[in-house]
Amino acid sequence: MRDLAGRLDLCAINTATLGYQAPIGETVDAIARAGFGAICPWRREIDADDAGRAAARIRDAGLAVSGYCRSTYFPGATEADRRAAIEDNKRALDQAATLGAPCFVLVVGGLAPGSRDLEDARAQVEAGVAALTEHARALGVTLALEPMHPMYAADRGCLNTLEQALDLAERLEPAPGAAPEIGVAIDVYHVWWDPDLDAQIARAGAARRIMALHVCDWLVPTRDLLTDRGMMGDGVVDIRAIRASIEASGYAGAVEVEIFSAENWWKRPIEETLAVCAERLQSVC
Amino acid sequence: MRDLAGRLDLCAINTATLGYQAPIGETVDAIARAGFGAICPWRREIDADDAGRAAARIRDAGLAVSGYCRSTYFPGATEADRRAAIEDNKRALDQAATLGAPCFVLVVGGLAPGSRDLEDARAQVEAGVAALTEHARALGVTLALEPMHPMYAADRGCLNTLEQALDLAERLEPAPGAAPEIGVAIDVYHVWWDPDLDAQIARAGAARRIMALHVCDWLVPTRDLLTDRGMMGDGVVDIRAIRASIEASGYAGAVEVEIFSAENWWKRPIEETLAVCAERLQSVC
């Protein structure tokens, strides 16, 4: 297991952590100044600027890109809706390639509007991901399925365990190469509860599918299902144990902080949040 | 699959649905007047009265008892804490027997205070359940493990899938008889998201371990992790499909309504909530 002390170059900041308070250029510079090695931007930031200009700014700041967040939800009430989501995701893949992102993070969406059919939603997700593979392969961007905590099954993501994500990846790409077409993004927040986690991490690592490791913490109590995630160390997740398991499986990518925190971290100055992230990555993770 | 139309005798009310607005005697009579066949009381109600007197009141009202809620959490910071929880649960088992409850519902608890060790919490749960089996067997009360939604792993229940609960049940009781010592209580709210649900229901049914079926609904959005559960039909769970799966596995017990709803149903008059439960059980479930 890598020692992160003095190694912020191994660490990334997912820009969602900072609450989108500044344009992407300023955010890039702040993250670089704080000493981090990589950034994972969100589409809203790139759409508000230009992917080529953002890529240059990131490069000039000396940062790598750890990933690009995130897909438009696949399930739709109509075939036209589903087709539009796929086309939208292809445009996002183009941006990911321009940014030099190794992976595009797939938050796949929950039930189709008006539907109670979770099995159908999952089938729509699989069809949607399959429809992206050729485009992604041509660009050299891995599709990183992010299993979502089961509390998001209805409205955010109906892939709810690492096992389920890996099953889907294997169906679409049974024998991945060194750079898989379909990988996974593992966020400790979504998976920490899973009794099968270590076994599935080992499986994912053996197939070289782990494209990202996101860290934050589970707060007790949690006051909002989406935006009350905690700074590492403020909650109950044994982050170090999960990172050990992931790195033991062969993962050597960034340790990326992603914290949705509307009432706390998103209200603080970017520099303060970055400083606390840096400290906690080295002391807690 | 049973048709519930005109068959409220097949249905039960878990008293948590009514927000504990009345003493147990009045609650019993209201549930009976509304036409339901069974009741699942909570300990706070029985502790505030007397188990023998409550049992008589339930019998006189013509109700069956579908279960008794719920265990004191097993994980503890010290051996003394864990021992106290076991003793407390033995007293609750005595009450369950007095009430004539076929099962005592085990909400097992999450992490021990101050701990981040989920594996240890799960080991403490297993030890705690094992310590109850002899007492429960002597009383003829089944211990019904209730898998909790993963969002409760930290603070309410670290058994988070039906598979995990069944694995534990099989370790403690490999070959259950017609009335198992260790069973499961399946609440659609906790398990509806699980991609492996149907397979695990079949497994549970084949072993005759399903002791209870709880229904409510998952609201979108969900505004509170614990007390924003929905009335059947107001959310996105395909309750009928889950009930069909459970009954196809051999379950012939009560369909029990349990709704934690601090801002909605708990504020309404008991009679109104019971009337809506009756209507939705017959039209939605």
Side-chain angles (χ1 to χ4, degrees), chain B residues 75 95 117 143 181:
Chain B
Q95 294 176 320
D117 191 338
L143 299 167
E181 290 173 15

Side-chain angles (χ1 to χ4, degrees), chain A residues 84-285:
Chain A
I86 290 166
E87 292 307 315
D88 198 51
N89 284 325
K90 286 182 181 172
R91 287 189 293 275
L93 278 165
D94 294 337
Q95 293 176 321
T98 301
L99 290 167
C103 67
F104 178 48
V105 176
L106 302 187
V107 176
V108 298
L111 294 164
S115 169
R116 288 188 174 88
D117 192 338
L118 196 53
E119 198 172 337
D120 180 60
R122 287 165 172 163
Q124 290 188 33
V125 166
E126 185 153 346
V129 176
L132 291 182
T133 52
E134 186 178 332
H135 196 73
R137 185 189 313 126
L139 294 168
V141 176
T142 297
L143 299 167
L145 298 164
E146 184 172 8
M148 288 279 116
H149 194 285
M151 70 183 173
Y152 301 126
D155 52 358
R156 196 165 175 83
C158 59
L159 293 182
N160 303 108
T161 63
L162 182 53
E163 178 179 34
Q164 196 187 5
L166 291 169
D167 286 350
L168 195 165
E170 286 186 2
R171 285 193 299 273
L172 296 183
E173 185 191 22
E181 291 173 15
I182 319 270
V184 293
I186 302 177
D187 186 322
V188 300
Y189 193 78
H190 296 303
V191 302
W192 74 278
W193 61 272
D194 186 349
D196 200 30
L197 183 59
D198 281 339
Q200 296 300 325
I201 286 173
R203 174 187 171 198
R208 292 178 289 197
R209 292 204 201 264
I210 305 178
M211 298 302 297
L213 164 57
H214 294 181
V215 296
C216 67
D217 214 336
W218 181 279
L219 299 176
V220 178
T222 292
R223 299 185 189 284
D224 184 272
L225 272 73
L226 184 59
T227 61
D228 193 27
R229 302 185 191 178
M231 178 63 66
M232 300 77 72
D234 290 348
V236 298
V237 178
D238 188 347
I239 300 169
R240 198 184 294 262
I242 298 176
R243 180 166 77 85
S245 178
I246 287 177
E247 295 190 4
S249 85
Y251 180 74
V255 180
E256 177 175 324
V257 180
E258 185 187 48
I259 307 174
F260 292 5
S261 171
E263 299 303 319
N264 187 356
W265 300 102
W266 289 357
K267 290 184 170 175
R268 302 202 196 194
I270 287 177
E271 288 72 18
E272 178 187 344
T273 299
L274 289 170
V276 178
C277 287
E279 191 276 315
R280 298 294 178 86
L281 280 162
Q282 298 176 80
S283 65
V284 170
C285 299

